[in-house]
Amino acid sequence: MPASTDPRLLILAVLAACGLSACTSTETRRTETPAPEPLPVAVPKPAPAPTFQGPVLTGNGTCTAPAPAGAAAIEIGIGECDLVRLKGKPPTDVLVGEGRAGREVQVLYNEPGAKELYFFVNNRLDRIVK
């Protein structure tokens, strides 16, 4: 007797064969997108060096040039050498360095009974601590 074949089994076998044939395919398809071009990077320019006028103090407390007679009193904004001229004597100690704002100088005077500390930024008196 001939074996009868169920049409559903036949359809299932054809679908399985089609599905397996897709698995054995060696063809690969890639859709690569080109890498984006790097964006130009803006390099910040360094800040210009601060400028100041007039003579300045050296680490040993002397001025680089004679101080002009512009300042009449010790007040915020006078120059380093103006302070020495107005005090009439060399400072006890001077610290010269570079800070965030540029040239920074600390000038110490030992006065009878107290110490006075003067802070300069770019050759201008910024604050006084007594």
Side-chain angles (χ1 to χ4, degrees), residues 75-125:
E75 58 190 7
I76 301 300
I78 65 170
E80 298 166 15
C81 292
D82 287 330
L83 173 69
V84 175
R85 180 182 56 78
L86 291 168
K87 285 293 223 177
K89 61 183 179 178
T92 306
D93 194 16
V94 177
L95 295 173
V96 179
E98 291 294 319
R100 291 182 183 176
R103 177 186 165 90
E104 293 184 3
V105 177
Q106 298 176 16
V107 181
L108 172 68
Y109 275 95
N110 279 331
E111 298 294 337
K115 293 181 180 181
E116 296 176 353
L117 191 55
Y118 299 87
F119 293 91
F120 290 85
V121 177
N122 295 325
N123 197 23
R124 293 290 162 241
L125 183 59

Side-chain angles (χ1 to χ4, degrees), residues 22-32:
C23 289
T24 59
S25 173
T26 58
E27 183 181 333
T28 58
R29 192 178 276 185
R30 290 186 181 178
T31 56
E32 294 183 18

